[in-house]
PDB file of all heavy atoms in Angstrom:
ATOM      1  N   VAL Q1608     -16.619   5.857 -14.401  1.00 97.00           N
ATOM      2  CA  VAL Q1608     -15.759   5.384 -13.298  1.00 97.00           C
ATOM      3  C   VAL Q1608     -14.322   5.924 -13.485  1.00 97.00           C
ATOM      4  O   VAL Q1608     -13.689   6.432 -12.592  1.00 97.00           O
ATOM      5  CB  VAL Q1608     -15.820   3.893 -13.115  1.00 97.00           C
ATOM      6  CG1 VAL Q1608     -14.823   3.439 -12.065  1.00 97.00           C
ATOM      7  CG2 VAL Q1608     -17.218   3.441 -12.754  1.00 97.00           C
ATOM      8  N   SER Q1609     -13.840   5.780 -14.701  1.00 97.00           N
ATOM      9  CA  SER Q1609     -12.497   6.244 -15.040  1.00 97.00           C
ATOM     10  C   SER Q1609     -12.380   7.780 -14.892  1.00 97.00           C
ATOM     11  O   SER Q1609     -11.406   8.328 -14.431  1.00 97.00           O
ATOM     12  CB  SER Q1609     -12.071   5.829 -16.438  1.00 97.00           C
ATOM     13  OG  SER Q1609     -10.846   6.281 -16.735  1.00 97.00           O
ATOM     14  N   GLY Q1610     -13.444   8.460 -15.343  1.00 97.00           N
ATOM     15  CA  GLY Q1610     -13.434   9.916 -15.165  1.00 97.00           C
ATOM     16  C   GLY Q1610     -13.451  10.397 -13.737  1.00 97.00           C
ATOM     17  O   GLY Q1610     -12.770  11.324 -13.398  1.00 97.00           O
ATOM     18  N   ALA Q1611     -14.195   9.709 -12.895  1.00 97.00           N
ATOM     19  CA  ALA Q1611     -14.245  10.028 -11.454  1.00 97.00           C
ATOM     20  C   ALA Q1611     -12.876   9.818 -10.819  1.00 97.00           C
ATOM     21  O   ALA Q1611     -12.395  10.596 -10.028  1.00 97.00           O
ATOM     22  CB  ALA Q1611     -15.325   9.181 -10.745  1.00 97.00           C
ATOM     23  N   ALA Q1612     -12.209   8.682 -11.250  1.00 96.00           N
ATOM     24  CA  ALA Q1612     -10.855   8.469 -10.714  1.00 96.00           C
ATOM     25  C   ALA Q1612      -9.903   9.515 -11.139  1.00 96.00           C
ATOM     26  O   ALA Q1612      -8.994   9.968 -10.341  1.00 96.00           O
ATOM     27  CB  ALA Q1612     -10.389   7.063 -11.175  1.00 96.00           C
ATOM     28  N   SER Q1613      -9.956   9.934 -12.415  1.00 96.00           N
ATOM     29  CA  SER Q1613      -9.028  11.005 -12.886  1.00 96.00           C
ATOM     30  C   SER Q1613      -9.255  12.272 -12.132  1.00 96.00           C
ATOM     31  O   SER Q1613      -8.314  12.993 -11.768  1.00 96.00           O
ATOM     32  CB  SER Q1613      -9.256  11.186 -14.348  1.00 96.00           C
ATOM     33  OG  SER Q1613      -8.999   9.983 -15.113  1.00 96.00           O
ATOM     34  N   ALA Q1614     -10.517  12.643 -11.921  1.00 95.00           N
ATOM     35  CA  ALA Q1614     -10.841  13.869 -11.203  1.00 95.00           C
ATOM     36  C   ALA Q1614     -10.379  13.815  -9.782  1.00 95.00           C
ATOM     37  O   ALA Q1614      -9.827  14.806  -9.217  1.00 95.00           O
ATOM     38  CB  ALA Q1614     -12.327  14.139 -11.245  1.00 95.00           C
ATOM     39  N   LEU Q1615     -10.497  12.652  -9.105  1.00 93.00           N
ATOM     40  CA  LEU Q1615     -10.050  12.541  -7.718  1.00 93.00           C
ATOM     41  C   LEU Q1615      -8.509  12.724  -7.635  1.00 93.00           C
ATOM     42  O   LEU Q1615      -8.036  13.448  -6.789  1.00 93.00           O
ATOM     43  CB  LEU Q1615     -10.467  11.149  -7.210  1.00 93.00           C
ATOM     44  CG  LEU Q1615     -11.931  10.951  -6.880  1.00 93.00           C
ATOM     45  CD1 LEU Q1615     -12.182   9.443  -6.619  1.00 93.00           C
ATOM     46  CD2 LEU Q1615     -12.375  11.758  -5.697  1.00 93.00           C
ATOM     47  N   VAL Q1616      -7.825  12.071  -8.517  1.00 92.00           N
ATOM     48  CA  VAL Q1616      -6.357  12.168  -8.465  1.00 92.00           C
ATOM     49  C   VAL Q1616      -5.895  13.594  -8.773  1.00 92.00           C
ATOM     50  O   VAL Q1616      -5.012  14.090  -8.169  1.00 92.00           O
ATOM     51  CB  VAL Q1616      -5.717  11.162  -9.490  1.00 92.00           C
ATOM     52  CG1 VAL Q1616      -4.232  11.369  -9.557  1.00 92.00           C
ATOM     53  CG2 VAL Q1616      -6.031   9.723  -9.073  1.00 92.00           C
ATOM     54  N   HIS Q1617      -6.566  14.208  -9.758  1.00 92.00           N
ATOM     55  CA  HIS Q1617      -6.185  15.632 -10.094  1.00 92.00           C
ATOM     56  C   HIS Q1617      -6.388  16.584  -8.992  1.00 92.00           C
ATOM     57  O   HIS Q1617      -5.531  17.334  -8.678  1.00 92.00           O
ATOM     58  CB  HIS Q1617      -7.022  16.016 -11.375  1.00 92.00           C
ATOM     59  CG  HIS Q1617      -6.789  17.425 -11.775  1.00 92.00           C
ATOM     60  ND1 HIS Q1617      -5.549  17.861 -12.388  1.00 92.00           N
ATOM     61  CD2 HIS Q1617      -7.528  18.506 -11.642  1.00 92.00           C
ATOM     62  CE1 HIS Q1617      -5.635  19.107 -12.641  1.00 92.00           C
ATOM     63  NE2 HIS Q1617      -6.830  19.549 -12.202  1.00 92.00           N
TER      64      HIS Q1617
END
Side-chain angles (χ1 to χ4, degrees):
V1608 174
S1609 178
S1613 300
L1615 288 170
V1616 173
H1617 176 72

